[in-house]
Amino acid sequence: MNGDGRPGGVGDSPLRPDGIAKVLGVFAYASDLTADAMLYGATLRSPHPRALITRIDTAPALALPGVRAVLTHEDVPGRKHYGLIKQDCPVLAVGEVRYQGEPVAIVAADDAQAARLAVKAIIVEYEVLDPVTDVRRALFDPAGPRVHPAGNLVRHQPVRRGDPHDPAVRVHADVEITREYQVGMQDQAFLGPEAGLAYPAPDGGVDLHIATQWLHADLEQIAPCLGLPEEKVRLTLAGVGGAFGGREDLSMQIHAAMLALRTGRPVRMVYNRQESFFGHVHRHPAVMRYTHGARRDGTLVYVIAEILLDGGAYASTTEAVVGNAASLGIGPYEVEHLAVDAYGAYTNNPPCGAMRGFGAVQACFAYESQMDALAEALGMHPLEVRARNAVKQGSTIATGQVIDSPAPLAEMFEELRAMPAPPERAAADLLPGGYGNTSHGEGIRRGVGYGVGVKNICYSEGFDDFSTARVRLTLEHGEPTALVHTAAAEVGQGLVTLQGQIARTELGVERVTVERADTRVGSSGSSSASRQSYMTGGAVKAACEAVRERVFELARERGVPVPDGARLTDGKIVSAFGEPFAALAQILGERAIEETREYRHRPTGVLDQLTGQGSSHVQFAFAVHRAVVDVDVELGLVRVVQLDVVQEVGKILNRLSLEGQIQGGTAQGLGLAVLEEIVMADGKVRNPSFTDYLIPTIVDMPPMGMRILEHPDPNAPYGLRGAGEPPTLSSTPAIVAAVRDATGMELTRVPIRPEHIALFQSPDPAPGEASAHA
């Protein structure tokens, strides 16, 4: 119940409207869509990571029974390239392929089998070239091949403060740590594959029902490629089976629309699991070199960091990922002297773009590993060295931006240390290796580790970030009812639920309907960057406030005195003290009140191209984790025994959804730490399946202690702070630190594989020394 006793408002945890259908397995996802006279689309993809296309022959495919269309780049009716930031990605390969799995041709057929046979019948001849797969060579070898004519650099963003290279500065450091770190390519691994259904429209346009994260960004890319005005391309959100950044870029949208327009019939496209690994972007692999210098008391003197991010064949969001990695590259710590250089590169590896954490994840693993190394070198507790350098409200981050909202890291550390640790391992406990009966407990050691992360919320670097909401208040069957319409994508995070909560709170009604998201209303931006509660929540709140003011005006017109501070509660206009003045139904009568509002956060600035200075972010969010692990040091197996987290969220809007976000983000961080990696060899993916690409299951997820702090941000709606991404940052380094604690090994690469630790041998620790930091 919220403050005035109504269920389902801000602060409550009402049932999700889609929850029961999903649990029962009857929820309609995009892959479930059907239509009368529907055709089936399929895609021919390149088997090579880099090659010239010397010949395409579609005639054998067109000759097969049931095949209605076979299209190549020559059939693209409009612009041949698209992209979220740079329009460098071809709709269908134009003379060259730059990664394994790049779309070369598309087909439409009467059934799925005919479509698959048609794809196999297309003849494509290639001149295979040596792929560019090493990110350092791609960036710094002037004699190396170019992935694109303009070169292999997507973006270089330096950040400079003081002079960490000055000997007069460096002499003040009593300890210096230099290490290189690597992060593998992680997949979003959403369970619902890329899918959609395109209908040709009578006006010559097309209607698309798709699973996406950003309807209007899709629209802005699709329409020019189809050669159509935007008003003739209408997008509706279909059921989305997870996203995590992987649906920000286009996949099958233009292809399905092209086939529908060519054949004049509805066309459905659904990727299988293997194709899905080639059909969306992934997390950027990273190679990072860090040098930290600190005084004997743990105070940081300087940080030097080089961050190389492999963007793959096309730009996607690499520019923005580089900006995040650079600006957040030293973590939530105060440092007087620093030099960060973040680079994004083109290679012939699969394209990489948005994934939960967006550049901050890679950097967090490196800087937190460095903080652990400093703590070990100085004989300090890992949290002590972090607390000594942690930012707070009023601190300045690496880019010169002042943190002007609460940053209670000191309190978060104390909360984390106060949380109960798990009991000592008992004989009946699950061992590393799980139910496979692999380990029998002979070489198991326990370790404890910590991780701290900072993530920017909303879009940064001067982007015009806004969200639009339309709210209509009317009487239905005599009861006041609110209708909320936005284009915000529900991707599983609970946004539809939250929009209803806000409408109930602001309009004082019980009945709220949230319309399906589509492009009939203005853009709500992307369901990414932990921004939708902030941005679309802010837009719905603003539209509801405008409707409420119209209600008050209408009441005054009808002679009802509405005092200052009045509000709507339980279908009534009440004073600030709860005194009722009039029934909402009586005031509305036959009238319907509708208002549309755009919500914008405060403006941000660009980063200086030479110094990286600038106030580029809207808001900062923080999470800290403690991990406890058992490691079989003989077999190289790791079991995470417990993961505890403290997160600052500003204001809890829906505790149940919030806890789910924190748990889910932590699970993806666990996956990156010990399980998940797209394994590459010479530009080719070796494990495009959930048999070989391993994600955490319920057996892998340990018990989680959770503390949620609320220090409102005065600049945000309801004081909230975006919450979906921060736990993904800090969980990975915490788990790796715990494995280090158990083994004594440096472990500078994630995910940790058994071979990284299986050969470890050392004398048994003295009693009480198995974990130095419990």
Side-chain angles (χ1 to χ4, degrees), residues 424 446 448 741 764-774:
E424 292 297 316
R446 177 157 290 187
V448 180
D741 187 40
D764 290 336
E769 294 182 356
S771 173
H773 307 305

Side-chain angles (χ1 to χ4, degrees), residues 504-520:
R504 291 186 191 98
T505 297
E506 300 300 330
L507 298 178
V509 299
E510 292 300 324
R511 293 182 58 178
V512 178
T513 299
V514 179
E515 284 201 68
R516 183 178 291 274
D518 57 34
T519 52
R520 293 179 300 135

Side-chain angles (χ1 to χ4, degrees), residues 421-426 429 446 641-642:
E424 292 297 316
R425 186 171 61 85
D429 287 352
R446 177 157 290 187
V641 176
Q642 185 165 308

Side-chain angles (χ1 to χ4, degrees), residues 36-110:
D36 292 337
M38 180 180 77
L39 299 176
Y40 293 76
T43 308
L44 173 67
R45 298 179 180 275
S46 168
H48 307 294
R50 182 170 180 241
L52 301 178
I53 299 174
T54 60
R55 175 173 172 257
I56 300 179
D57 185 357
T58 62
L62 284 167
L64 293 176
V67 175
R68 305 299 176 181
V70 181
L71 307 180
T72 69
H73 75 89
E74 294 179 349
D75 302 295
V76 177
R79 183 190 297 165
K80 291 183 183 289
H81 294 79
Y82 66 90
L84 277 168
I85 299 175
K86 291 183 176 181
Q87 286 71 53
D88 65 348
C89 188
V91 175
L92 293 166
V94 183
E96 181 178 0
V97 291
R98 293 185 172 89
Y99 71 97
Q100 180 198 21
E102 180 162 350
V104 175
I106 51 177
V107 304
D110 290 346

